[in-house]
Amino acid sequence: MPIKNKSVIFDRENLNKENPKEFLYKALKMSPSDLILEVRESGLKGRGGAGFPTGTKWMLASAAVSDKKFVVCNADEGEPGTFKDRVLLDEFSDLVFYGMIMCGYAIRANKGFVYLRGEYRYLLDKLLKYLDKMHEENLLGKNILNSGFDFDIEIRLGSGAYVCGEESALIESLEGHRGESRNRPPFPVNTGYMGHPTVVNNVETFATVPIIISRGAEWFTTVGTLNSKGTKLISVSGDCKEPGVYEVPFGISINDILKLVKAENTKAVQVGGASGHCVPKEQFDRALSFEDLSTGGSIMIFNESRDMLHILKNFMEFFVEESCGQCTPCRIGNIKLLEGVEKVEAGDCALSYIKELIELGKSMQLASKCGLGQSSPNPFISIMTNFENEIFSQR
Amino acid sequence: MIEIKDNILTQEISELIGKYGNGREALLPILQQIQAKHGYVSEFAQQEIANALDIHPVEVYGVITFYSFLGNKKKGRHIIRLCRTISCDLAGKDAIIRTLERELGIKFGETTKDEKFSLEFINCMGMCDQGPAMMINEQVFTQLTPHKIVDILKNFR
């Protein structure tokens, strides 16, 4: 299933005219520092949702001193409502792999891993075949395109754990451990896989880099907003006529997205998946960007017929199950929030207790060890705040 | 008989060590292969893998119980995993739950008596635009309806 609208970056017809192999050739002719500079100048930020500047990440890993360095592509796309990486891996795997090679070249790493979620196991054979083809064409392996640079890519499968999408948990999993996140700092750019400097980037981030190298950082900065450059792939699901993956410029409003996907009678839009924020109708003029509504790409649409408490309960059940249990705020906090939702459902919850739970949620945001517990209270807080009247008037 | 089975398993594990190495990072790929072939990782297999990687068996047990696609108990030959996350829920997951439970005569979390099917839930599997969705083993099925379920199950019986 291809990208549904006219794309600026991920347009196969256009790419074929430009010949993506040329992108790699061009990158390997640049000096590693120039390559990093180009990525920095473009303002590209991590497409997984956290939005860390990619060029800065690469620069830090490049500056780290070590005999070995690693590149990791985070293809553990587990955020509810996100599926754009599935489309990228299926249809634009060349760009993903080229981006990884460029990163390896930039930071002087010779080995890359793709951490593919177990649920996408069916993509594995196709990806492995493509890697073989790249080996045959000297795009991978020793002395790539006679540049003197060696790089290889290995695909590792996940085994069904949402938390492994968090970069330090992902590295733990790669090392053969339970996917429990690490304390940060030290960050993976210094102490990553096997203790070596490691760049972990999202599939979409890697796939975007070759385009930046080909068309130039300046071109890239012409699209988007002041602090969010370029375009973003969004995965749209829920109550609309045309769900699917779309490529939109940063800065697009929720209203415009709803028009694009032909959604009607929309009550709320969940931006950023279960760990994101629930945006009510009054705020549909807000923009998709790192400055306002940041997202890894998940857009879930709820129409007027939907019960917001039911949606919130689904999210909280998800977090209770996926919390790794390592730190107390996340392990216990999510259970308390879910119990609160169940109390409301039973018509047995005081408004003042919900206020207390919102405070608990804020503590979890501060005290949890990793992104999972830091963001899992988001739907509770945004839905209980924005839809308090609806939820309590019915019960 | 049991002894012969165990010998075969030991042989399999040593072949996997040959392929993936005996470093700790080989643990997950080895477990995934054993799981795929046998449907679970037995206590004997856990012990053998621990020996081969020179780690404590509890480390192996800890990893198996952490990941939802790995298990230490035998399940049905075909594991059906229905997505329970919100997009599939809105698309009509509950009707699919009822259909699956009635067709197989078991509840979610259970295995059929003939050990052919196990019913489980899965969290978002990235098919949100085509829900309700489920996986049977590694195969993905989307836009499910009760009638479609009946047809799909026929092919696995």
Side-chain angles (χ1 to χ4, degrees):
Chain A
M1 198 150 292
I3 292 166
K4 286 204 141 179
N5 61 343
K6 180 79 187 144
S7 304
V8 183
I9 291 184
F10 300 108
D11 178 344
R12 186 46 78 185
E13 240 174 71
N14 254 337
L15 283 171
N16 283 344
K17 274 183 228 152
E18 292 174 273
N19 189 7
K21 273 175 220 164
E22 291 294 322
F23 305 171
L24 188 57
Y25 199 65
K26 186 176 174 189
L28 296 179
K29 282 205 160 164
M30 295 166 84
S31 75
S33 54
D34 282 348
L35 183 60
I36 294 176
L37 197 68
E38 194 73 20
V39 176
R40 279 199 82 182
E41 296 278 301
S42 75
L44 176 66
K45 289 181 178 176
R47 277 358 188 192
F52 191 81
T54 306
T56 308
K57 192 182 265 188
W58 291 17
M59 200 183 63
L60 291 168
S62 160
V65 181
S66 175
D67 58 333
K68 274 185 199 162
K69 294 182 187 180
F70 294 95
V71 175
V72 176
C73 174
N74 185 345
D76 194 50
E77 182 178 46
E79 187 62 49
T82 319
F83 43 94
K84 45 111 191 157
D85 292 344
R86 160 169 63 83
V87 173
L88 280 181
L89 290 165
D90 199 23
E91 295 177 30
F92 297 92
S93 56
D94 51 345
L95 292 182
V96 179
F97 293 145
Y98 295 167
M100 290 177 70
I101 298 169
M102 289 177 193
C103 175
Y105 178 71
I107 68 165
R108 295 175 193 82
N110 301 110
K111 171 98 189 184
F113 292 101
V114 176
Y115 188 90
L116 182 69
R117 69 185 304 217
E119 290 84 344
Y120 290 173
R121 166 75 177 72
Y122 59 92
L123 292 172
L124 181 66
D125 291 340
K126 190 175 168 187
L127 292 172
L128 287 175
K129 243 182 226 161
Y130 195 77
L131 287 178
D132 282 344
K133 186 167 162 259
M134 284 175 68
H135 269 284
E136 280 163 25
E137 295 178 22
N138 190 223
L139 300 170
L140 209 56
K142 297 261 176 239
N143 191 17
I144 295 172
L145 296 171
N146 296 319
S147 61
F149 172 63
D150 304 338
F151 193 77
D152 217 335
I153 293 175
E154 187 184 327
I155 302 178
R156 292 277 190 87
L157 281 170
S159 259
Y162 167 75
V163 68
C164 289
E166 197 278 338
E167 61 176 5
S168 68
L170 189 156
I171 290 170
E172 282 288 312
S173 180
L174 273 181
E175 291 180 1
H177 296 275
R178 293 160 67 89
E180 291 175 350
S181 61
R182 297 174 176 173
N183 280 322
R184 303 180 325 155
F187 292 98
V189 286
N190 287 310
T191 311
Y193 181 67
M194 299 294 178
H196 297 289
T198 305
V199 164
V200 184
N201 275 143
N202 181 262
V203 173
E204 188 184 346
T205 312
F206 280 125
T208 307
V209 169
I211 308 288
I212 290 171
I213 296 304
S214 158
R215 300 185 197 167
E218 214 183 300
W219 170 83
F220 193 73
T221 57
T222 57
V223 190
T225 69
L226 187 61
N227 290 315
S228 315
K229 298 300 181 195
T231 61
K232 181 82 191 78
L233 289 182
I234 53 171
S235 322
V236 183
S237 64
D239 298 318
C240 64
K241 286 205 184 83
E242 301 280 347
V245 175
Y246 293 80
E247 185 183 321
V248 295
F250 271 114
I252 190 173
S253 70
I254 300 288
N255 269 323
D256 287 343
I257 293 175
L258 292 175
K259 262 181 233 152
L260 189 65
V261 304
K262 300 197 172 68
E264 281 164 7
N265 296 325
T266 308
K267 173 157 72 176
V269 176
Q270 182 77 16
V271 180
S275 67
H277 293 273
C278 191
V279 182
K281 202 193 267 174
E282 307 80 70
Q283 299 175 20
F284 282 177
D285 56 343
R286 290 178 68 183
L288 213 68
S289 64
F290 294 112
E291 301 94 303
D292 189 1
L293 291 169
S294 175
T295 172
S298 172
I299 304 280
M300 296 189 279
I301 300 170
F302 309 129
N303 70 19
E304 293 288 354
S305 75
R306 303 300 182 181
D307 175 5
M308 297 312 288
L309 193 70
H310 174 77
I311 291 164
L312 177 57
K313 189 180 174 193
N314 188 289
F315 289 151
M316 293 325 299
E317 284 171 342
F318 171 78
F319 286 122
V320 166
E321 188 173 296
E322 293 294 349
S323 170
C324 81
Q326 187 187 185
C327 74
T328 313
C330 178
R331 182 182 65 243
I332 310 286
N334 282 310
I335 291 175
K336 286 290 155 199
L337 296 186
L338 176 60
E339 283 172 1
V341 173
E342 287 166 345
K343 265 171 105 81
V344 177
E345 203 179 25
D348 188 25
C349 188
L351 195 53
S352 58
Y353 185 59
I354 291 300
K355 289 203 180 347
E356 267 177 51
L357 286 179
I358 288 176
E359 288 309 308
L360 172 70
K362 288 178 185 163
S363 306
M364 289 165 66
Q365 289 172 331
L366 282 173
S368 294
K369 188 171 174 183
C370 81
L372 198 159
Q374 287 162 11
S375 59
S376 66
N378 290 347
F380 186 91
I381 294 173
S382 62
I383 290 178
M384 282 298 184
T385 312
N386 291 322
F387 298 94
E388 188 195 292
N389 282 342
E390 177 196 309
I391 289 171
F392 279 89
S393 67
Q394 289 170 9
R395 292 169 183 90
Chain B
M1 185 60 193
I2 287 169
E3 206 175 314
I4 294 167
K5 254 194 194 163
D6 286 351
N7 283 338
I8 294 169
L9 201 52
T10 308
Q11 179 64 29
E12 263 177 51
I13 288 165
S14 78
E15 276 165 23
L16 289 171
I17 297 281
K19 188 173 172 194
Y20 296 107
N22 63 353
R24 174 78 195 230
E25 70 278 11
L27 178 57
L28 213 48
I30 290 171
L31 292 175
Q32 286 164 345
Q33 294 288 336
I34 296 287
Q35 175 79 31
K37 186 155 182 203
H38 301 274
Y40 75 121
V41 187
S42 64
E43 273 183 23
F44 179 80
Q46 293 173 38
Q47 183 75 54
E48 288 294 283
I49 293 167
N51 287 346
L53 299 183
D54 198 20
I55 53 179
H56 198 284
V58 158
E59 292 280 334
V60 179
Y61 177 82
V63 168
I64 292 171
T65 49
F66 184 86
Y67 295 95
S68 60
F69 283 6
L70 300 174
N72 55 358
K73 290 194 181 70
K74 203 167 168 54
K75 284 182 189 156
R77 189 148 28 102
H78 304 298
I79 300 184
I80 301 177
R81 295 186 168 100
L82 177 69
C83 177
R84 69 159 145 218
T85 310
I86 195 71
S87 295
C88 284
D89 180 281
L90 300 182
K93 164 208 79 171
D94 286 348
I96 306 302
I97 294 178
R98 287 192 295 271
T99 310
L100 282 168
E101 288 185 340
R102 284 173 196 159
E103 288 298 317
L104 296 174
I106 53 169
K107 297 279 170 202
F108 270 76
E110 295 177 353
T111 299
T112 53
K113 269 197 186 134
D114 60 3
E115 293 188 339
K116 263 195 183 163
F117 294 99
S118 293
L119 273 183
E120 289 180 7
F121 285 113
I122 189 173
N123 284 325
C124 188
M125 50 186 266
M127 285 292 166
C128 328
D129 54 338
Q130 302 161 54
M134 70 175 183
M135 296 172 83
I136 301 187
N137 308 322
E138 281 158 10
Q139 230 178 315
V140 174
F141 299 90
T142 57
Q143 288 170 332
L144 297 170
T145 60
H147 283 284
K148 235 172 159 177
I149 293 285
V150 175
D151 289 341
I152 292 167
L153 288 179
K154 232 184 257 166
N155 295 327
F156 285 88
R157 282 195 202 263

